Amino acid sequence: MTEFKETELDERAIKMAKVLSADAVEKAGSGHPGSPISLAPVAYTLYQHFIKHDPNDPNWEGRDRFILSGGHASLTQYVQLYFSGYGVTLDALRTSVAALPPAPRAPEYGLTPGIEMTTGPLGQGFASAIGFAYGERFQRGLLDPETPKEDSPFYHKIWAICGEGDIEEGISGEAASLAANQKLGNLTVIFDANRIQIEGDTNLVLAEDVLKRFQAYGWYTDEFSFIQPDGSYKEDIEGLADVIAKAEKAAPDQPKLIKVHSLIAWPTPGKTNDPSSHGSKLGTEAVAGLKEALGYDPEENFHVDEEALAHARKVAERGLEAHKEWDEKFDAWRKANPDKAALYDRLKAGELPEGFDKALDDLEATFEVGKGVATRGASGSVLNAIAAVMPELWGGSADLGGSNKTDLKGAATFAPAECATKQWPNCNEFGRQLHFGVREFTMGCITNGILLGSHTRPFGGTFFMFSDYERSAVRLAALMEIPNLYIWSHDSVAVGEDGPTHQPVEHLASFRAIPQLEVIRPADAFETAEAYRYFFEKKNTLPGAMVLTRQGVPVLAETAAKAKDGVKKGAYVLVDTEGTPDVILMASGSEVQWAVAAAKTLAGEGVKARVVSVPSMEWFEEQDAEYKEAVLPAAVKARVSVEAGVAMPWYKYLGSYGKPVSIEQFGLQGDGAQNMIDLGITAEHVVEAAKASIAEVEAAK
């Protein structure tokens, strides 16, 4: 923080921020003007005097990170980026909130310099900010564990602004609990309490004392009000800065929530403290009234107070100075720690460690063909093999580590030492084993934040059934194109005894429907290892979901020979015939074994069946037309898909005469293996479907 005394130029800059926000929404014809207008003094105070940033280098390693959790209020941030000298220009503000880069309606990762993550779905920015703090600490532990944090070049702070909507979303409570447990002292959240949302006064739905709630979690809390005791309104940014500075000094080891009492859209006549200002343009009359109240010409749009702008842009000079100081600290660290520096360079470049392939090759050499191995178990072995050579890999589960096989052998738990339990006695603030409790959504948001805020590689696990709780975070990862790794076990009705509440049937289809998400369902141990190999080797940055069995499945001789080249193609010929096949049997995961068995039965009856293993439809779709035709020749119209879930994703491959062997109902109570038989997931049903498909093709000739 720089020493802060409010000047007339600060006041003028804040007024300009309000007017520019109102003009931008008015020009677009829709948007959210109220919060950017009333948040202008808060955001200005943070950007000018608390957030360490360098507008000349938006990706500077030493910067603090800022997350606007209520992404609908994007102009709050865009105006400050414009003031600071980032790539957001006045022309960008004129076209903002119009779904156009560089300033689209909601902040989007990768489109606008200075935007750390995509926000808009309320609560996710808040929870992911906690993930940013996780990532900072773990990365610092990898690279500079002995240095006091304030002296390390890898220490930085995380700042966020949230509103009532974020606080109302349950994710905020889930994540806040973990943040306090982890003692994330480098996290400060400003809670904009304007008491307004789309349906009106929030007292209707948010009547509790939010600060007491956060105190109960273990956060440091304080509050500040622009609303004076006499009912007047004063945007005292010096007073606000004092409260923020006090929090930083008073609670170095606690996350901090500072509640700021404001009036939405102040001082817009007729719109201040009115719900209509939240999500609609103010209207010509109200915008003119706002400008008059702030001393602006109501007839002039997008007016720039050049003197105030020049004053605000001095923050870039302070950023350069901070960057220079950091460079000196970083250079000293690099000289003193050549091995750690080499690790940092590799992490930043996104390169795999030496020995990565060998670790997987050595593991695969231990697989026994014919042995029954659950793919969740194979996944656990693969994770541990990779972790031995990949120190940046860390993760855990939403209270299902033993079931998901996501525990890293011998790893310390990422938590302060006082969190140690009988089951997890080795807790260390730099540990690599994560525990989320029963918080799937929070797990997804935190691992998103880790990826965005560090160069490390997290993973998170749960039952496939409960991926539904995590879905919104998964979708956001796909939208941002970040390589989060989801490990979802217990993937079908073969889960068994827990009944249909725990037996996913529609989930493969629904997750395959998410653009830019790679769903991978390996058939056995060899395909599991190769799926991980390719996921980490891929040069793009899409998230991936490993969908894994609870039950044992045989390690196939065919995958032992072909998986290394085949899995990365998404689909490959596992069993073939002489000449053109009569029918193609396509399957994923645990059902590949039934396709292989069915092909043998059909061969004994003189029917030539090709078996195609399809671990990832998304990877298959990346292949060229020639490869796709080689695997699924158009001339072979008799086809069968085999998968223990709804058949919806398979119809594009089945064609007019294909037959799905699928599950089109909820699961059953009882033994998992018997469930599969009762619901028709057997080699016998595959044979029947193949014959039916062949018959239809013949009849159509």
Side-chain angles (χ1 to χ4, degrees), residues 297-313:
D297 181 351
E299 300 298 322
E300 187 175 0
N301 297 325
F302 294 98
H303 175 75
V304 174
D305 182 336
E306 295 291 352
E307 191 176 9
L309 180 62
H311 174 72
R313 291 228 164 132

Side-chain angles (χ1 to χ4, degrees), residues 74-110:
S74 57
L75 281 159
T76 302
Q77 188 170 12
Y78 292 154
V79 170
Q80 296 308 317
L81 295 175
Y82 167 60
F83 280 6
S84 300
Y86 286 83
V88 177
T89 64
L90 188 62
D91 282 341
L93 294 180
R94 287 193 181 99
T95 59
S96 68
V97 303
L100 298 171
R105 175 155 298 186
E108 290 193 32
Y109 175 69

Side-chain angles (χ1 to χ4, degrees), residues 326-475:
W326 181 87
D327 282 342
E328 293 173 357
K329 186 184 295 186
F330 178 76
D331 289 344
W333 168 83
R334 179 179 281 281
K335 290 177 183 176
N337 300 276
D339 291 342
K340 296 289 188 184
L343 173 60
Y344 169 76
D345 291 341
R346 181 178 67 76
L347 298 185
K348 189 173 182 181
E351 296 174 351
L352 291 173
E354 184 178 349
F356 176 84
D357 279 326
K358 184 177 186 301
L360 288 175
D361 291 343
D362 289 349
L363 177 64
E364 289 187 10
T366 69
F367 295 160
E368 297 179 35
V369 170
K371 183 177 181 181
V373 177
T375 54
R376 62 169 175 157
S379 169
S381 298
V382 172
L383 284 173
N384 276 279
I386 294 172
V389 298
M390 195 174 177
E392 67 270 27
L393 182 70
W394 59 313
S397 170
D399 198 47
L400 290 168
S403 295
N404 299 145
K405 306 301 180 185
T406 51
D407 295 339
L408 299 178
K409 295 174 184 176
T413 291
F414 181 83
E418 57 266 35
C419 291
T421 65
K422 180 179 180 181
Q423 294 79 17
W424 300 94
N426 184 15
C427 289
N428 182 304
E429 64 174 347
F430 300 138
R432 68 193 301 197
Q433 182 69 55
L434 285 166
H435 300 273
F436 296 98
V438 186
R439 300 183 180 96
E440 295 86 1
F441 189 7
T442 288
M443 176 173 65
C445 290
I446 284 179
T447 50
N448 280 349
I450 289 169
L451 274 168
L452 293 164
S454 73
H455 301 300
T456 68
R457 297 299 300 268
F459 62 86
T462 188
F463 287 175
F464 194 26
M465 185 69 224
F466 304 133
S467 60
D468 273 345
Y469 288 132
E470 195 177 9
R471 182 182 301 272
S472 188
V474 175
R475 185 180 189 276

Side-chain angles (χ1 to χ4, degrees), residues 45-234:
T45 301
L46 290 177
Y47 268 88
Q48 291 289 319
H49 302 286
F50 287 96
I51 300 171
K52 181 174 62 176
H53 63 115
D54 179 6
N56 299 286
D57 185 359
N59 297 316
W60 166 39
E61 187 74 42
R63 72 192 185 282
D64 289 349
R65 274 66 164 175
F66 171 77
I67 295 95
L68 181 68
S69 190
H72 60 273
S74 57
L75 281 159
T76 302
Q77 188 170 12
Y78 292 154
V79 170
Q80 296 308 317
L81 295 175
Y82 167 60
F83 280 6
S84 300
Y86 286 83
V88 177
T89 64
L90 188 62
D91 282 341
L93 294 180
R94 287 193 181 99
T95 59
S96 68
V97 303
L100 298 171
R105 175 155 298 186
E108 290 193 32
Y109 175 69
L111 289 183
T112 310
I115 299 297
E116 300 288 353
M117 72 170 289
T118 298
T119 55
L122 291 176
Q124 287 205 52
F126 180 101
S128 290
I130 292 164
F132 275 79
Y134 271 54
E136 178 279 327
R137 193 170 86 197
F138 182 71
Q139 180 166 288
R140 179 162 46 86
L142 281 181
L143 300 172
D144 197 22
E146 303 299 327
T147 304
K149 63 182 181 181
E150 296 282 359
D151 297 328
S152 172
F154 300 103
Y155 176 74
H156 57 260
K157 297 176 181 177
I158 292 86
W159 303 88
I161 292 177
C162 76
E164 278 97 349
D166 295 290
I167 295 298
E168 289 164 5
E169 288 285 359
I171 183 80
S172 65
E174 294 180 21
S177 176
L178 279 173
N181 236 46
Q182 291 290 348
K183 295 189 173 182
L184 301 177
N186 61 337
L187 172 65
T188 300
V189 179
I190 307 296
F191 168 31
D192 176 38
N194 62 36
R195 303 183 306 284
I196 292 293
Q197 55 194 74
I198 291 173
E199 294 187 354
D201 192 317
T202 58
N203 191 58
L204 182 69
V205 293
L206 187 67
E208 79 265 23
D209 188 325
V210 172
L211 293 187
K212 286 184 179 177
R213 172 151 67 94
F214 275 75
Q215 288 166 16
Y217 291 139
W219 286 53
Y220 171 93
T221 67
D222 205 345
E223 58 188 322
F224 185 79
S225 183
F226 293 146
I227 306 167
Q228 304 304 301
D230 63 1
S232 63
Y233 199 83
K234 180 183 179 183

Side-chain angles (χ1 to χ4, degrees), residues 18 33-35 37-38 263-268 271-273 277 282 290:
K18 291 172 180 282
S35 291
I37 291 170
S38 52
L263 294 176
I264 195 168
W266 187 87
T268 311
K271 296 292 184 177
T272 295
N273 203 33
S277 69
L282 299 174
L290 171 65

